[in-house]
Amino acid sequence: MAEREQLNGKLLYEFNTVAAMVEIYCKAHHKDKPKHTTCDDCQAFLDYACTRLDRCPYGQNKPTCNNCPVHCYKPHMKEHAREIMKFAGPRMLLPHPIRAIKHLLAERQPVPGKPEQGQSNRHLRKAKQAD
Ligand code: SF4
Ligand SMILES: [Zn+2]
């Protein structure tokens, strides 16, 4: 499993955007948890999203996951991601206006073709460690 600290650049920015959306979603849907925490299910989703970002074959050139032709998420996680985005997307503008606008602009970018080999964050990190 990848850790947030292992991400950088666009991948880290995107992870933080997902985390902000999950926080909005969790706060509204899972009220039985201690205040200012994320419930176990939402945390598990975030950990999963972090690993997907770390392994994303597009690396720093990734499209938004919503527009991705590969879509590496397992079907139930993909569905869960859709649910979170649908709820939290329109609620992002007030607490996180810059993130919300950047995400909307990214959604309009052309979808890249097949990813080049060895561009994932995980791959580049391992190659660096082996140097
Ligand atoms: S492969 Fe596609 S769905 Fe998976 S993390 Fe990369 S952009 Fe998102
Ligand atoms: Zn939750």
Side-chain angles (χ1 to χ4, degrees), residues 1-4 7 10-12 14-22 41-56 62 65 71-74 77-78 80-81 84-85 121:
M1 190 175 73
E3 307 282 337
R4 182 195 289 241
L7 301 176
K10 187 175 179 177
L11 299 172
L12 180 60
E14 188 159 324
F15 178 79
N16 288 334
T17 301
V18 174
M21 289 191 179
V22 167
D41 282 355
C42 288
Q43 189 55 51
F45 175 79
L46 268 180
D47 292 343
Y48 182 79
C50 185
T51 299
R52 295 331 312 159
L53 284 167
D54 187 50
R55 296 179 184 186
C56 176
K62 75 181 289 301
C65 294
H71 220 301
C72 64
Y73 279 51
K74 286 180 183 166
M77 285 297 195
K78 190 175 172 180
H80 195 40
I84 292 169
M85 303 299 146
N121 185 54

Side-chain angles (χ1 to χ4, degrees), residues 1 10 12 23 27 40 44 56 64 91 110-111 113 117 127 129:
M1 190 175 73
K10 187 175 179 177
L12 180 60
E23 191 185 338
K27 204 171 166 187
D40 290 352
C56 176
T64 60
R91 292 169 174 82
V111 176
Q117 288 278 320
Q129 282 165 359

Side-chain angles (χ1 to χ4, degrees), residues 20-21 23-24 91-101:
M21 289 191 179
E23 191 185 338
I24 291 171
R91 292 169 174 82
M92 281 284 284
L93 210 53
L94 220 56
H96 304 285
I98 309 278
R99 278 189 190 283
I101 289 165

